[in-house]
Amino acid sequence: MASSVEIFGLLPLYFGLNLQKRVHSRCPIRCLASRDSAAALCSDSVKVNAAVNGVSSAVKEDTKRALVDFNGHMSSNVEVKKRKKDFEEEKLEPLWNDGYGTQTVKDYLDYAKDIIKPDGGPPRWFTPISCGPHLRDSPILLFLPGMDGLGLGLILHHKALGRVFDVRCMHIPVQDRTPFGELVRWVEDTVRAEHASSPNKPIYLVGDSFGGCLALAVASRNPKIDLVVILANPATSFGRSQLQPLLPLLAAMPDELHITVPYLLSFVMGEPLKMATVDINKMQPPTKYAEQLADNLTGLLPSLSGLAEIIPRETLLWKLKLLKSAAAYANSRLHAVKAEVLVLASGKDNMLPSRDEARRLLSSLQNCKVRYFKDNGHTILLEDGVNLLTIIKGTGTYRHSRNHDYVTDFLPPSMSEFKQAVMGNGFFRTYTGPVILSTMEDGKIVRGLAGVPDEGPVLLVGYHMLMGLELFPLVEEFLREKKILIRGIAHPTLFSHLVEGESKEFSFFDFLRLYGALPVSASNLFKLFKTKSHVLLYPGGAREALHRKGEEYKLFWPDQPEFVRMAARFGATIVPFGVVGEDDIAELALDYDDLMKIPIWSDRIRRDNEKYKSFNVRAGMSGEVANQALYLPGLLPKFPGRLYYLFGKPIHTKGREEMLKDKEKARELYLQIKSQVETNLSYLLKKRNEDPYRNIVDRTIYRVLHAPVDQVPTFEP
């Protein structure tokens, strides 16, 4: 009996899923004292409270001498440490494989059959092997499960989260009857122990439904610990649940009918279609998509029978009482929560009024953000369309210390995120048919990005098209051709809460953060150069992107050449570029001058810009460049032409550091860069008239008959 209490009791079937030939920093150990279960766990994931779990020295000794890698080969402690060190020195590259969609709800149900076997033990932490080894200095993430208590609710996200977090999942055995107050203290002990060992690092609490109440309760009791609380449809709204009238019926239902309850709950708690589409390639032909969806649904539905064992009658009644006490406990202490909170709310939650609850928490908590997913159900973390790591990155919630750093805390986009962006922006790419040109060192203009250096630091300096229409194709092409992510320097307003809409959905501004945009500041530019990044800078800023009628392709650059001197300090290569085509894509119907003549709109623009006043990066300047009123112009779409980009000949500053300390020399180079951008614009405006496929009709016909969008011919450079 001692062994079942002292260890996790979770089978190697689940913890041995990852069959890739890379060595994990947490090697599974096989419990020799429990032959019946042959339990497997991770040696450094035993973070249980000794007073609760009674870990004995015998089990600790077994842990030391039973290190086994995922292929079953014995490994010495020295080898394990070396492999871990080798991995920690790695960095995530753009388009890294986050593994999202490789595990599904069917896997969750299959693994649950093994985990629910009774072992007589209390709640405990475990780390799934599928999380893999994490990067050095990764913050800890504690997952607090929902009503099922299994701790498998992050299964879709294990591989992605496991690369950048030290993931530990809470498991509450089916037969466990620990009161809510004791569960709070148990989690709290772990939080305090982790904080004591790493006081400068944040601790992430991801609470799913019931786990959301648990996370808020722990946060309220530990206001001085740096916690990041992520709530997925938290059960703090349990008192207003749509199921309240049915709860007395569940308690009175005969045992022989209880087997039907989990089937009913499965459809109430989740969206089956969203669950079934997780691992389906959205870009395949519709017939193939429908065929795979039918297969997934057919395979998923029979597995639902296992829910009756996950939540047997006695456990269900206990969990309902636990939910009631958890919601009351958490709600009574919301005023004490000082942690950073991110709420994920579903629009089709048939179990809880999650959207209304998100609004309530937003107004009740001191530091809270909300993201709303209108097509998802209660089990949002097990459904398609919600990549938890993507949301964490896009909302600027990932950090290694108390303050978020846009450079050191940045995680590059993964392959699954890139595919999602390509699919989401496919129409615009087809609509604009971008042509990318670059200039080699010998002055030859070629199609593609061969003329742009691969090694940083590189500073791309160019014209900011109306509303930034050029951004998505530009970033996509660098990722597609060079696997380089360009870090865009943007207006700080885009990173404030002021730009969040009432809908609170994952927005354009979240995508900007996801793809590396960061607020303009000297310190951020310094850090980017220091890390040898490819940086995108628009000296014309908002004034250029929100220009007036008749100002197309006119540069509005300030007089100060400061970016030149900083680039020279790091020996950065400067690449001037121009882009044209906005006048072929949309017509500027209402500009700033027009809108200021309309009383309602003028009042709104003045009111909004008064709120944005603290974000004015050119305060104190005079002249045209200082006029940076932010507003949304009125645009009319046009029968589309094409976008054209030309990256000029690289300008090297390496070896010119001393010369460019002279302000006059720096200004000369600054004017040279500006002149080159204007030359590129003139070149493109002239040459696009020679493009036989400038018209979308001609491009579409060519694509149907000959080639994909990025291979449609253009003019000869």
Side-chain angles (χ1 to χ4, degrees):
M1 177 62 71
S3 64
S4 63
V5 175
E6 292 160 354
I7 63 167
F8 299 152
L10 302 178
L11 295 183
L13 171 64
Y14 176 57
F15 292 95
L17 289 177
N18 195 329
L19 299 180
Q20 299 177 32
K21 294 186 177 180
R22 55 177 178 155
V23 178
H24 299 276
S25 64
R26 294 179 291 275
C27 298
I29 67 169
R30 190 170 301 280
C31 174
L32 305 178
S34 181
R35 297 178 182 176
D36 293 337
S37 63
L41 65 156
C42 298
S43 60
D44 69 345
S45 64
V46 186
K47 297 295 182 183
V48 293
N49 187 309
V52 177
N53 289 354
V55 179
S56 71
S57 59
V59 173
K60 291 179 180 178
E61 186 60 31
D62 284 342
T63 301
K64 290 180 182 178
R65 61 187 172 84
L67 291 173
V68 184
D69 69 22
F70 65 92
N71 284 320
H73 304 301
M74 296 301 296
S75 301
S76 69
N77 282 323
V78 175
E79 289 174 333
V80 172
K81 289 179 180 178
K82 182 179 182 301
R83 291 167 181 167
K84 183 174 182 178
K85 182 177 184 297
D86 290 343
F87 180 80
E88 287 176 343
E89 292 175 352
E90 294 180 10
K91 292 183 179 180
L92 292 180
E93 298 294 334
L95 308 187
W96 59 284
N97 180 16
D98 65 1
Y100 181 75
T102 57
Q103 292 180 293
T104 66
V105 176
K106 188 175 184 302
D107 295 312
Y108 162 89
L109 295 169
D110 290 341
Y111 305 145
K113 296 175 184 176
D114 299 302
I115 293 179
I116 61 176
K117 294 177 181 178
D119 61 8
R124 72 292 305 264
W125 298 110
F126 70 90
T127 297
I129 282 183
S130 54
C131 286
H134 54 77
L135 297 176
R136 181 176 49 194
D137 199 36
S138 295
I140 187 172
L141 184 150
L142 303 176
F143 174 62
L144 310 178
M147 191 173 175
D148 63 330
L150 297 179
L152 300 178
L154 285 181
I155 192 167
L156 273 63
H157 315 275
H158 282 166
K159 294 181 180 179
L161 294 176
R163 294 295 300 276
V164 297
F165 287 104
D166 180 1
V167 178
R168 303 176 197 176
C169 303
M170 181 182 183
H171 174 69
I172 306 175
V174 174
Q175 304 302 326
D176 181 78
R177 297 295 181 264
T178 304
F180 183 72
E182 288 189 27
L183 291 176
V184 172
R185 288 188 289 275
W186 184 78
V187 175
E188 181 180 63
D189 287 341
T190 301
V191 167
R192 290 179 176 178
E194 291 297 332
H195 175 67
S197 64
S198 302
N200 298 320
K201 291 173 62 176
I203 298 173
Y204 286 73
L205 299 178
V206 177
D208 182 14
S209 188
F210 164 75
C213 297
L214 190 53
L216 287 171
V218 172
S220 69
R221 292 163 58 97
N222 298 274
K224 294 185 178 180
I225 297 180
D226 184 11
L227 297 175
V228 180
V229 178
I230 301 173
L231 309 174
N233 293 325
T236 45
S237 62
F238 182 68
R240 307 191 308 277
S241 170
Q242 296 92 312
L243 299 181
Q244 284 292 340
L246 299 178
L247 298 183
L249 297 178
L250 294 176
M253 183 173 289
D255 289 345
E256 54 270 19
L257 293 180
H258 177 77
I259 193 173
T260 64
V261 173
Y263 282 99
L264 297 175
L265 286 178
S266 66
F267 288 98
V268 170
M269 295 176 68
E271 284 290 310
L273 284 177
K274 282 286 186 180
M275 293 179 177
T277 56
V278 169
D279 60 343
I280 299 180
N281 179 7
K282 311 299 188 298
M283 302 180 74
Q284 63 182 328
T287 53
K288 290 290 185 181
Y289 181 92
E291 181 181 336
Q292 190 172 349
L293 176 60
D295 290 342
N296 285 3
L297 284 172
T298 303
L300 176 62
L301 294 178
S303 301
L304 295 177
S305 61
L307 291 173
E309 298 178 27
I310 296 174
I311 313 179
R313 175 186 170 83
E314 296 78 10
T315 299
L316 176 61
L317 297 178
W318 165 254
K319 289 293 177 69
L320 292 175
K321 293 179 182 178
L322 198 63
L323 275 172
K324 186 176 180 180
S325 62
Y329 189 107
N331 284 318
S332 68
R333 290 165 172 80
L334 289 181
H335 64 280
V337 176
K338 309 295 183 185
E340 179 181 1
V341 179
L342 172 62
V343 182
L344 313 183
S346 295
K348 294 183 178 180
D349 189 340
N350 297 317
M351 182 176 177
L352 298 172
S354 290
R355 183 173 189 179
D356 292 340
E357 182 64 3
R359 293 196 187 104
R360 185 181 78 92
L361 292 175
L362 182 64
S363 61
S364 301
L365 298 172
Q366 300 177 25
N367 184 12
C368 182
K369 289 180 284 191
V370 170
R371 288 299 178 268
Y372 174 62
F373 301 87
K374 61 182 180 180
D375 297 321
N376 289 89
H378 181 69
T379 53
I380 187 171
L381 296 177
L382 291 172
E383 299 175 12
D384 191 26
V386 182
N387 186 328
L388 182 56
L389 182 57
T390 299
I391 298 166
I392 291 173
K393 291 158 60 179
T395 53
T397 309
Y398 186 79
R399 52 190 173 86
H400 292 88
S401 59
R402 187 167 289 274
N403 297 314
H404 175 74
D405 189 297
Y406 283 95
V407 177
T408 59
D409 290 328
F410 178 71
L411 299 172
S414 66
M415 179 57 76
S416 71
E417 291 165 344
F418 180 65
K419 289 180 179 178
Q420 186 69 24
V422 170
M423 185 175 65
N425 296 299
F427 171 77
F428 186 73
R429 182 176 174 81
T430 301
Y431 188 78
T432 59
V435 174
I436 312 288
L437 304 170
S438 62
T439 309
M440 305 299 289
E441 292 285 354
D442 61 1
K444 181 181 179 181
I445 297 176
V446 297
R447 189 163 183 182
L449 295 169
V452 179
D454 293 337
E455 297 297 324
V458 172
L459 180 63
L460 308 174
V461 184
Y463 169 70
H464 208 359
M465 193 178 281
L466 180 65
M467 293 294 292
L469 292 172
E470 80 283 358
L471 281 171
F472 279 120
L474 177 60
V475 173
E476 180 184 333
E477 191 60 29
F478 268 87
L479 281 169
R480 186 191 302 275
E481 183 175 334
K482 287 180 172 284
K483 287 193 176 180
I484 290 175
L485 179 69
I486 54 176
R487 305 292 308 273
I489 302 289
H491 198 285
T493 305
L494 301 179
F495 304 89
S496 74
H497 67 282
L498 299 175
V499 298
E500 290 189 7
E502 291 295 325
S503 66
K504 303 296 181 184
E505 296 181 14
F506 199 79
S507 66
F508 165 76
F509 305 105
D510 294 320
F511 274 105
L512 286 180
R513 284 186 285 264
L514 183 65
Y515 279 86
L518 67 172
V520 58
S521 72
S523 62
N524 281 339
L525 190 58
F526 180 93
K527 292 175 186 176
L528 289 173
F529 283 146
K530 189 175 182 180
T531 54
K532 298 184 178 181
S533 302
H534 282 63
V535 185
L536 177 63
L537 178 66
Y538 294 107
R543 179 61 183 88
E544 208 163 85
L546 297 173
H547 59 68
R548 282 42 159 182
K549 293 177 181 176
E551 294 179 344
E552 298 88 354
Y553 312 123
K554 180 180 178 181
L555 301 187
F556 293 91
W557 287 21
D559 293 330
Q560 295 85 349
E562 293 306 315
F563 74 82
V564 173
R565 299 175 70 191
M566 188 176 290
R569 176 176 179 176
F570 290 91
T573 302
I574 300 174
V575 181
F577 75 93
V579 53
V580 304
E582 66 178 62
D583 51 336
D584 273 0
I585 304 300
E587 180 180 349
L588 182 56
L590 295 173
D591 65 8
Y592 176 80
D593 296 332
D594 295 326
L595 292 173
M596 292 302 290
K597 295 175 183 177
I598 304 173
I600 296 177
W601 281 105
S602 62
D603 291 343
R604 181 173 180 176
I605 291 173
R606 290 191 187 97
R607 186 169 58 250
D608 288 345
N609 279 273
E610 186 62 31
K611 291 188 297 183
Y612 302 150
K613 194 173 182 179
S614 60
F615 298 100
N616 188 355
V617 296
R618 288 178 176 166
M621 292 186 183
S622 59
E624 192 68 33
V625 73
N627 185 8
Q628 293 193 78
L630 303 179
Y631 68 100
L632 285 177
L635 303 180
L636 292 176
K638 297 177 69 174
F639 198 70
R642 205 170 187 181
L643 292 181
Y644 301 87
Y645 302 75
L646 174 58
F647 292 89
K649 185 178 178 180
I651 300 173
H652 301 281
T653 66
K654 192 172 183 179
R656 304 173 66 183
E657 295 88 341
E658 293 300 321
M659 181 185 71
L660 291 174
K661 285 183 179 180
D662 183 335
K663 288 187 177 181
E664 196 55 42
K665 294 291 185 182
R667 178 172 173 77
E668 289 178 10
L669 181 57
Y670 178 78
L671 294 176
Q672 177 189 340
I673 295 168
K674 183 178 180 182
S675 175
Q676 184 61 56
V677 172
E678 292 173 331
T679 300
N680 291 345
L681 291 171
S682 299
Y683 174 88
L684 292 173
L685 287 171
K686 178 181 178 182
K687 294 292 288 186
R688 70 174 177 175
N689 294 322
E690 302 174 14
D691 186 0
Y693 297 99
R694 180 177 173 184
N695 186 288
I696 190 174
V697 175
D698 295 323
R699 292 200 305 275
T700 302
I701 294 174
Y702 187 91
R703 286 183 60 221
V704 170
L705 298 177
H706 301 288
V709 63
D710 56 341
Q711 295 180 17
V712 177
T714 184
F715 57 79
E716 286 296 323

mmCIF file of all heavy atoms in Angstrom, residues 460-482:
data_model
loop_
_atom_site.group_PDB
_atom_site.id
_atom_site.type_symbol
_atom_site.label_atom_id
_atom_site.label_comp_id
_atom_site.label_asym_id
_atom_site.label_seq_id
_atom_site.Cartn_x
_atom_site.Cartn_y
_atom_site.Cartn_z
ATOM 1 N N LEU A 460 15.807 46.826 -41.904
ATOM 2 C CA LEU A 460 15.020 47.097 -43.105
ATOM 3 C C LEU A 460 14.293 48.422 -42.897
ATOM 4 O O LEU A 460 13.486 48.560 -41.969
ATOM 5 C CB LEU A 460 14.012 45.976 -43.344
ATOM 6 C CG LEU A 460 14.563 44.544 -43.346
ATOM 7 C CD1 LEU A 460 13.427 43.538 -43.435
ATOM 8 C CD2 LEU A 460 15.537 44.347 -44.493
ATOM 9 N N VAL A 461 14.562 49.388 -43.736
ATOM 10 C CA VAL A 461 13.997 50.732 -43.584
ATOM 11 C C VAL A 461 13.216 51.070 -44.843
ATOM 12 O O VAL A 461 13.765 51.007 -45.948
ATOM 13 C CB VAL A 461 15.108 51.780 -43.367
ATOM 14 C CG1 VAL A 461 14.499 53.151 -43.113
ATOM 15 C CG2 VAL A 461 15.997 51.383 -42.203
ATOM 16 N N GLY A 462 11.919 51.415 -44.686
ATOM 17 C CA GLY A 462 11.146 51.633 -45.896
ATOM 18 C C GLY A 462 9.920 52.498 -45.737
ATOM 19 O O GLY A 462 9.693 53.134 -44.701
ATOM 20 N N TYR A 463 9.125 52.491 -46.787
ATOM 21 C CA TYR A 463 7.882 53.262 -46.867
ATOM 22 C C TYR A 463 6.748 52.473 -46.231
ATOM 23 O O TYR A 463 6.571 51.281 -46.508
ATOM 24 C CB TYR A 463 7.563 53.565 -48.337
ATOM 25 C CG TYR A 463 6.175 54.114 -48.562
ATOM 26 C CD1 TYR A 463 5.849 55.394 -48.129
ATOM 27 C CD2 TYR A 463 5.202 53.358 -49.205
ATOM 28 C CE1 TYR A 463 4.569 55.909 -48.324
ATOM 29 C CE2 TYR A 463 3.925 53.863 -49.420
ATOM 30 C CZ TYR A 463 3.611 55.129 -48.972
ATOM 31 O OH TYR A 463 2.352 55.632 -49.171
ATOM 32 N N HIS A 464 5.976 53.151 -45.393
ATOM 33 C CA HIS A 464 4.847 52.527 -44.701
ATOM 34 C C HIS A 464 3.578 52.794 -45.504
ATOM 35 O O HIS A 464 3.069 53.918 -45.541
ATOM 36 C CB HIS A 464 4.722 53.111 -43.302
ATOM 37 C CG HIS A 464 4.109 52.173 -42.311
ATOM 38 N ND1 HIS A 464 3.680 50.897 -42.625
ATOM 39 C CD2 HIS A 464 3.850 52.322 -40.979
ATOM 40 C CE1 HIS A 464 3.209 50.315 -41.541
ATOM 41 N NE2 HIS A 464 3.298 51.154 -40.531
ATOM 42 N N MET A 465 3.068 51.736 -46.128
ATOM 43 C CA MET A 465 1.912 51.882 -46.991
ATOM 44 C C MET A 465 0.648 52.189 -46.175
ATOM 45 O O MET A 465 0.600 51.975 -44.962
ATOM 46 C CB MET A 465 1.728 50.592 -47.797
ATOM 47 C CG MET A 465 0.764 50.696 -48.940
ATOM 48 S SD MET A 465 0.675 49.130 -49.853
ATOM 49 C CE MET A 465 2.160 49.234 -50.824
ATOM 50 N N LEU A 466 -0.367 52.685 -46.844
ATOM 51 C CA LEU A 466 -1.640 53.020 -46.220
ATOM 52 C C LEU A 466 -2.144 51.858 -45.364
ATOM 53 O O LEU A 466 -2.287 50.728 -45.846
ATOM 54 C CB LEU A 466 -2.669 53.361 -47.305
ATOM 55 C CG LEU A 466 -4.075 53.734 -46.816
ATOM 56 C CD1 LEU A 466 -4.044 55.032 -46.020
ATOM 57 C CD2 LEU A 466 -5.027 53.856 -48.019
ATOM 58 N N MET A 467 -2.379 52.117 -44.074
ATOM 59 C CA MET A 467 -2.893 51.135 -43.114
ATOM 60 C C MET A 467 -1.984 49.912 -42.969
ATOM 61 O O MET A 467 -2.409 48.861 -42.493
ATOM 62 C CB MET A 467 -4.305 50.684 -43.521
ATOM 63 C CG MET A 467 -5.358 51.781 -43.430
ATOM 64 S SD MET A 467 -5.650 52.310 -41.729
ATOM 65 C CE MET A 467 -6.429 50.841 -41.071
ATOM 66 N N GLY A 468 -0.742 50.043 -43.404
ATOM 67 C CA GLY A 468 0.179 48.914 -43.280
ATOM 68 C C GLY A 468 -0.225 47.711 -44.110
ATOM 69 O O GLY A 468 0.039 46.561 -43.733
ATOM 70 N N LEU A 469 -0.809 47.957 -45.293
ATOM 71 C CA LEU A 469 -1.287 46.856 -46.131
ATOM 72 C C LEU A 469 -0.168 45.922 -46.587
ATOM 73 O O LEU A 469 -0.422 44.781 -46.974
ATOM 74 C CB LEU A 469 -2.001 47.425 -47.368
ATOM 75 C CG LEU A 469 -3.332 48.148 -47.114
ATOM 76 C CD1 LEU A 469 -3.815 48.822 -48.391
ATOM 77 C CD2 LEU A 469 -4.387 47.171 -46.604
ATOM 78 N N GLU A 470 1.070 46.401 -46.518
ATOM 79 C CA GLU A 470 2.191 45.594 -47.025
ATOM 80 C C GLU A 470 2.727 44.590 -46.011
ATOM 81 O O GLU A 470 3.548 43.735 -46.346
ATOM 82 C CB GLU A 470 3.333 46.527 -47.449
ATOM 83 C CG GLU A 470 4.213 47.059 -46.322
ATOM 84 C CD GLU A 470 3.585 48.185 -45.505
ATOM 85 O OE1 GLU A 470 2.444 48.600 -45.831
ATOM 86 O OE2 GLU A 470 4.222 48.652 -44.562
ATOM 87 N N LEU A 471 2.296 44.667 -44.757
ATOM 88 C CA LEU A 471 2.962 43.931 -43.685
ATOM 89 C C LEU A 471 2.853 42.416 -43.801
ATOM 90 O O LEU A 471 3.851 41.697 -43.715
ATOM 91 C CB LEU A 471 2.413 44.391 -42.328
ATOM 92 C CG LEU A 471 2.977 45.716 -41.813
ATOM 93 C CD1 LEU A 471 2.218 46.180 -40.588
ATOM 94 C CD2 LEU A 471 4.449 45.558 -41.501
ATOM 95 N N PHE A 472 1.643 41.887 -43.959
ATOM 96 C CA PHE A 472 1.471 40.443 -43.935
ATOM 97 C C PHE A 472 2.250 39.720 -45.035
ATOM 98 O O PHE A 472 2.968 38.749 -44.753
ATOM 99 C CB PHE A 472 -0.016 40.075 -44.012
ATOM 100 C CG PHE A 472 -0.715 40.178 -42.678
ATOM 101 C CD1 PHE A 472 -1.783 41.025 -42.507
ATOM 102 C CD2 PHE A 472 -0.286 39.428 -41.597
ATOM 103 C CE1 PHE A 472 -2.422 41.134 -41.281
ATOM 104 C CE2 PHE A 472 -0.919 39.528 -40.366
ATOM 105 C CZ PHE A 472 -1.996 40.383 -40.205
ATOM 106 N N PRO A 473 2.159 40.159 -46.300
ATOM 107 C CA PRO A 473 2.965 39.480 -47.328
ATOM 108 C C PRO A 473 4.460 39.587 -47.074
ATOM 109 O O PRO A 473 5.220 38.654 -47.370
ATOM 110 C CB PRO A 473 2.569 40.208 -48.624
ATOM 111 C CG PRO A 473 1.220 40.781 -48.341
ATOM 112 C CD PRO A 473 1.248 41.158 -46.897
ATOM 113 N N LEU A 474 4.906 40.713 -46.507
ATOM 114 C CA LEU A 474 6.327 40.932 -46.247
ATOM 115 C C LEU A 474 6.850 39.949 -45.201
ATOM 116 O O LEU A 474 7.849 39.257 -45.411
ATOM 117 C CB LEU A 474 6.538 42.373 -45.784
ATOM 118 C CG LEU A 474 7.957 42.791 -45.394
ATOM 119 C CD1 LEU A 474 8.898 42.616 -46.567
ATOM 120 C CD2 LEU A 474 7.966 44.237 -44.916
ATOM 121 N N VAL A 475 6.151 39.862 -44.072
ATOM 122 C CA VAL A 475 6.567 38.946 -43.000
ATOM 123 C C VAL A 475 6.479 37.497 -43.466
ATOM 124 O O VAL A 475 7.373 36.683 -43.213
ATOM 125 C CB VAL A 475 5.692 39.172 -41.749
ATOM 126 C CG1 VAL A 475 5.999 38.120 -40.685
ATOM 127 C CG2 VAL A 475 5.913 40.565 -41.181
ATOM 128 N N GLU A 476 5.414 37.177 -44.182
ATOM 129 C CA GLU A 476 5.223 35.805 -44.660
ATOM 130 C C GLU A 476 6.331 35.383 -45.612
ATOM 131 O O GLU A 476 6.832 34.255 -45.535
ATOM 132 C CB GLU A 476 3.862 35.682 -45.354
ATOM 133 C CG GLU A 476 3.571 34.294 -45.890
ATOM 134 C CD GLU A 476 2.271 34.224 -46.664
ATOM 135 O OE1 GLU A 476 1.367 35.042 -46.381
ATOM 136 O OE2 GLU A 476 2.149 33.360 -47.554
ATOM 137 N N GLU A 477 6.746 36.277 -46.510
ATOM 138 C CA GLU A 477 7.759 35.914 -47.497
ATOM 139 C C GLU A 477 9.118 35.673 -46.841
ATOM 140 O O GLU A 477 9.848 34.760 -47.235
ATOM 141 C CB GLU A 477 7.878 37.010 -48.563
ATOM 142 C CG GLU A 477 8.706 36.610 -49.764
ATOM 143 C CD GLU A 477 8.148 35.400 -50.512
ATOM 144 O OE1 GLU A 477 6.909 35.203 -50.472
ATOM 145 O OE2 GLU A 477 8.942 34.653 -51.120
ATOM 146 N N PHE A 478 9.467 36.467 -45.835
ATOM 147 C CA PHE A 478 10.727 36.235 -45.127
ATOM 148 C C PHE A 478 10.710 34.884 -44.419
ATOM 149 O O PHE A 478 11.711 34.160 -44.402
ATOM 150 C CB PHE A 478 10.995 37.361 -44.130
ATOM 151 C CG PHE A 478 11.824 38.476 -44.692
ATOM 152 C CD1 PHE A 478 11.230 39.528 -45.376
ATOM 153 C CD2 PHE A 478 13.199 38.477 -44.556
ATOM 154 C CE1 PHE A 478 11.987 40.559 -45.908
ATOM 155 C CE2 PHE A 478 13.977 39.501 -45.087
ATOM 156 C CZ PHE A 478 13.376 40.540 -45.769
ATOM 157 N N LEU A 479 9.584 34.534 -43.842
ATOM 158 C CA LEU A 479 9.483 33.233 -43.171
ATOM 159 C C LEU A 479 9.501 32.092 -44.182
ATOM 160 O O LEU A 479 10.155 31.070 -43.981
ATOM 161 C CB LEU A 479 8.202 33.178 -42.336
ATOM 162 C CG LEU A 479 8.242 33.884 -40.982
ATOM 163 C CD1 LEU A 479 6.848 33.981 -40.386
ATOM 164 C CD2 LEU A 479 9.181 33.175 -40.025
ATOM 165 N N ARG A 480 8.796 32.280 -45.287
ATOM 166 C CA ARG A 480 8.688 31.221 -46.281
ATOM 167 C C ARG A 480 10.025 30.962 -46.991
ATOM 168 O O ARG A 480 10.435 29.809 -47.165
ATOM 169 C CB ARG A 480 7.627 31.595 -47.321
ATOM 170 C CG ARG A 480 7.311 30.500 -48.329
ATOM 171 C CD ARG A 480 6.468 31.067 -49.461
ATOM 172 N NE ARG A 480 5.240 31.649 -48.972
ATOM 173 C CZ ARG A 480 4.122 30.955 -48.745
ATOM 174 N NH1 ARG A 480 4.101 29.654 -48.974
ATOM 175 N NH2 ARG A 480 3.033 31.559 -48.305
ATOM 176 N N GLU A 481 10.710 32.032 -47.395
ATOM 177 C CA GLU A 481 11.922 31.877 -48.192
ATOM 178 C C GLU A 481 13.184 31.712 -47.345
ATOM 179 O O GLU A 481 14.062 30.912 -47.672
ATOM 180 C CB GLU A 481 12.095 33.079 -49.127
ATOM 181 C CG GLU A 481 13.295 32.958 -50.051
ATOM 182 C CD GLU A 481 13.393 34.102 -51.048
ATOM 183 O OE1 GLU A 481 12.349 34.705 -51.376
ATOM 184 O OE2 GLU A 481 14.519 34.396 -51.501
ATOM 185 N N LYS A 482 13.281 32.446 -46.245
ATOM 186 C CA LYS A 482 14.520 32.453 -45.473
ATOM 187 C C LYS A 482 14.382 31.882 -44.066
ATOM 188 O O LYS A 482 15.380 31.733 -43.359
ATOM 189 C CB LYS A 482 15.053 33.891 -45.372
ATOM 190 C CG LYS A 482 15.654 34.435 -46.656
ATOM 191 C CD LYS A 482 16.161 35.856 -46.447
ATOM 192 C CE LYS A 482 16.940 36.349 -47.654
ATOM 193 N NZ LYS A 482 18.289 35.766 -47.733
#
